[in-house]
Amino acid sequence: MNLTLHVWRQADRRSGGAFATYEARDISEHMSFLEMLDVVNEGLEARGEAPIAFDHDCREGICGACSLQINGVPHGPDKGTTTCQLHMRSFRDGDTLVIEPFRAKPFPVLRDLVVDRGAFDRIIEAGGYISVRTGQAQDANSTPVNKQDADEAFSYAACIGCGACVAACKNASASLFTAAKISHLGLLPQGQPERHQRVLSMVAQMDLEGFGSCTNQYECEAACPKEISVSAIARMNRDFVVASLRGR
Amino acid sequence: MATATAGTGAGVFGALLQRTIGLKLLMAVTGLIWVGFVAQHMVANLQVFMPMPADGVHPLNRYAAALQSLGGLLWVARIFLLVVFVAHVYAAIRLTQLNRAARPVDYRVRTTQVSTFSSSYMRVSGFALLFFVLYHLAHFTFGAVDQAAYARTLPGGMHDVYGMVIVGFRNPIAAGTYIVANVFLALHLHHAVSSIFQTLGLRTPRYAPLIDKLGPAVGLAVGAGNIAMPLAILLGLVGQGVS
Ligand code: HEM
Ligand code: SF4
Ligand code: FES
């Protein structure tokens, strides 16, 4: 299949950027989206041009490195799918694709389609951990957790920190990411001692980084490759109210 | 951090307003208060559809007189609603600033997947409501729009609110303004009423389907009820006896 790509090109953090148009020729529908970009890059390098920079690592949907806003949707059109797992059969021969970096003030563009998502690391550092000793493997089994809580915690723990939720939100809000991390720990016994301080600190850091607020449109949930539920955000709001009233 | 001044009521409140979630909570609580007021306001005014009783004192006039007899309490309620309204608008403006700043470079293409029309135009519907509330107060509370209608009294000296409303809505411009404003109100509530539950952390997976229908239902009910009044009067279906 053949495609026309409009790709954001930007030399570095400080330069301005612009769209450049490329033709992607003889693409197999079995390729992943990133493999398609690899093919385009081979062509660019052969012509002595700089390849398109984009983030990737595992290429199996588990690391959260890949990104890309594809025709206005983070990670492209397929539900619950990262860009690295998105296959070209999701597109049609002759399609025109606009490929942009995730846009948010706290996610500055480093080069082309690569953005710095360090803001997420700082939100985690602010409280996305537990300080109690968890013991040996068998000790985990001796701490009872009811099945429903375990399942819900696990669904939030599936967050890979990719930033698609921020990219999809009209306010560039990091609510879904932050809430997934807060709720994953807040549902488990090991997370209880720091539960209130955690929500206050992580929410404070989220604001400090410059993310927007939640309008409850749920675009994040629709875009999330791990299909994290916005129930996490309701839970975060609830914990935030309780923690604020208790004063810590 | 948020903990520094906690402990006192003012400290907690001040700390909350430092956070986007806190501003959103303020929006939800103040919005909820106004939803309650708007709903009761509509139900009370639907009395305009009641027939004129034999004694010539319409139920709407009795209701208005009862409200007036509250005296100081009425002013307490008015000032309370005003403060709540200002707080809502403040939170809306502050959050809008923060949200705009959060994406200085916009996308060339942004495709929404699940956003509703109403949720995308909350600022538009909200500001339309701001102007409407001012017009509405000038019209029926302070009588600045139509002084003759506002000055109407009944033989006993009672303020003729019923007659004022009927005469007021025979004017197509006034009736049209109310009808359009209530389309905005219905839109605003379509998103807002469901949104309150999520903001306050009450939208649990079990009740989410129900909660998501509540906003549209309340929006439709309040909008339809409020539009029915000016429309029926404009079409001459109600209040033929008033001259
Ligand atoms: C000047 C007038 C108003 C403005 C500018 C305004 C603006 C807004 C905005 C921007 C939102 C936030 C939506 C978002 O998060 O993106 C909102 C939410 C809301 N508004 Fe208004 N509004 C106004 C008047 C009203 C009135 C008159 C009512 C009630 C009848 C109301 C009820 C609500 C409610 C309940 C919410 C939802 C809060 C939440 O998201 O949890 N607003 N408003
Ligand atoms: S919540 Fe979903 S979209 Fe957001 S960072 Fe985690 S995995 Fe990515
Ligand atoms: S490259 Fe690891 S999730 Fe896509």
Side-chain angles (χ1 to χ4, degrees):
Chain A
M1 58 200 288
N2 298 319
L3 302 137
T4 304
L5 311 181
H6 298 292
V7 183
W8 182 262
R9 302 301 308 260
Q10 181 173 335
D12 57 41
R13 203 175 166 136
R14 270 165 293 277
S15 316
F19 282 95
T21 302
Y22 305 102
E23 299 299 327
R25 302 237 158 263
D26 303 325
I27 300 297
S28 157
E29 61 176 14
H30 303 301
M31 283 181 183
S32 76
F33 199 87
L34 299 186
E35 284 165 337
M36 181 275 292
L37 287 179
D38 290 337
V39 170
V40 172
N41 275 346
E42 279 168 19
L44 286 176
E45 283 176 79
R47 282 186 277 148
E49 290 177 43
I52 301 162
F54 58 88
D55 260 324
H56 62 104
D57 189 10
C58 72
R59 296 209 178 192
E60 54 184 7
I62 55 171
C63 75
C66 61
S67 56
L68 308 187
Q69 194 86 352
I70 303 167
N71 279 353
V73 180
H75 295 298
D78 287 9
K79 258 196 91 56
T81 308
T82 52
T83 297
C84 60
Q85 295 276 287
L86 173 68
H87 286 88
M88 294 313 293
R89 53 181 164 271
S90 300
F91 302 94
R92 273 193 305 252
D93 186 36
D95 274 359
T96 297
L97 305 181
V98 177
I99 307 171
E100 302 176 69
F102 285 178
R103 295 280 190 201
K105 180 160 157 279
F107 287 172
V109 174
L110 298 178
R111 187 190 179 106
D112 298 339
L113 304 170
V114 178
V115 301
D116 178 359
R117 283 166 285 185
F120 271 10
D121 298 334
R122 293 187 290 275
I123 292 176
I124 297 290
E125 282 163 23
Y129 50 77
I130 56 168
S131 308
V132 295
R133 293 164 65 89
T134 50
Q136 304 291 321
Q138 73 270 23
D139 296 321
N141 293 327
S142 63
T143 309
V145 182
N146 88 48
K147 173 83 169 100
Q148 268 178 350
D149 288 348
D151 286 349
E152 199 182 341
F154 204 79
S155 78
Y156 300 145
C159 167
I160 53 176
C162 64
C165 43
V166 172
C169 177
K170 70 167 178 174
N171 303 330
S173 165
S175 291
L176 190 61
F177 165 77
T178 309
K181 300 302 178 190
I182 288 171
S183 300
H184 145 218
L185 296 172
L187 275 158
L188 297 174
Q190 293 87 345
Q192 297 313 308
E194 289 149 311
R195 181 167 170 183
H196 296 300
Q197 188 54 57
R198 176 180 305 116
V199 64
L200 293 177
S201 305
M202 291 178 75
V203 165
Q205 189 65 34
M206 170 178 89
D207 283 350
L208 196 68
E209 296 290 345
F211 292 104
S213 79
C214 182
T215 290
N216 303 334
Q217 283 191 308
Y218 312 146
E219 285 294 333
C220 51
E221 183 183 85
C224 174
K226 297 298 149 186
E227 302 185 282
I228 309 272
S229 164
V230 291
S231 304
I233 300 178
R235 193 171 267 288
M236 166 173 76
N237 292 349
R238 207 152 69 221
D239 276 8
F240 178 79
V241 172
V242 173
S244 299
L245 295 178
R246 289 180 36 147
R248 81 188 169 86
Chain B
M1 210 164 292
T3 54
T5 51
T8 65
V12 171
F13 193 63
L16 273 175
L17 295 189
Q18 301 281 308
R19 299 282 166 264
T20 51
I21 298 181
L23 285 164
K24 201 60 209 268
L25 288 167
L26 178 67
M27 190 117 190
V29 173
T30 53
L32 180 63
I33 292 168
W34 265 80
V35 171
F37 168 73
V38 165
Q40 84 83 32
H41 188 69
M42 177 199 74
V43 171
N45 287 337
L46 284 175
Q47 294 181 93
V48 79
F49 286 112
M50 289 166 74
M52 183 65 90
D55 66 2
V57 182
H58 193 270
L60 198 61
N61 282 334
R62 276 191 210 292
Y63 170 74
L67 274 187
Q68 286 299 329
S69 72
L70 292 175
L73 223 57
L74 184 62
W75 276 103
V76 172
R78 281 174 172 168
I79 290 169
F80 172 72
L81 282 173
L82 177 70
V83 170
V84 165
F85 197 87
V86 170
H88 188 83
V89 177
Y90 165 76
I93 293 173
R94 186 79 196 102
L95 283 174
T96 299
Q97 288 172 337
L98 292 169
N99 292 341
R100 292 235 166 103
R103 179 165 292 139
V105 183
D106 208 348
Y107 294 109
R108 172 147 143 199
V109 184
R110 181 172 172 264
T111 312
T112 57
Q113 304 189 80
V114 292
S115 296
T116 55
F117 179 82
S118 60
S119 69
S120 304
Y121 293 95
M122 288 301 277
R123 284 195 287 268
V124 176
S125 58
F127 274 98
L129 290 175
L130 175 63
F131 292 114
F132 171 67
V133 167
L134 295 176
Y135 174 79
H136 181 47
L137 289 176
H139 191 196
F140 285 151
T141 307
F142 302 114
V145 175
D146 183 349
Q147 276 156 1
Y150 184 71
R152 290 174 70 98
T153 49
L154 294 177
M158 195 191 241
H159 188 29
D160 183 11
V161 173
Y162 178 69
M164 170 180 83
V165 171
I166 299 290
V167 173
F169 286 155
R170 280 178 186 163
N171 175 349
I173 295 178
T177 306
Y178 278 75
I179 290 169
V180 171
N182 275 286
V183 172
F184 284 115
L185 179 61
L187 269 179
H188 203 75
L189 299 188
H190 181 277
H191 175 67
V193 173
S194 301
S195 180
I196 291 172
F197 289 85
Q198 174 75 356
T199 302
L200 299 182
L202 304 174
R203 185 180 176 276
T204 54
R206 183 153 171 220
Y207 293 105
L210 190 69
I211 288 169
D212 291 350
K213 288 188 192 82
L214 194 63
V218 172
L220 196 68
V222 171
N226 279 338
I227 288 175
M229 294 180 259
L231 195 63
I233 294 168
L234 188 66
L235 298 178
L237 304 175
V238 172
Q240 293 100 328
V242 176
S243 55

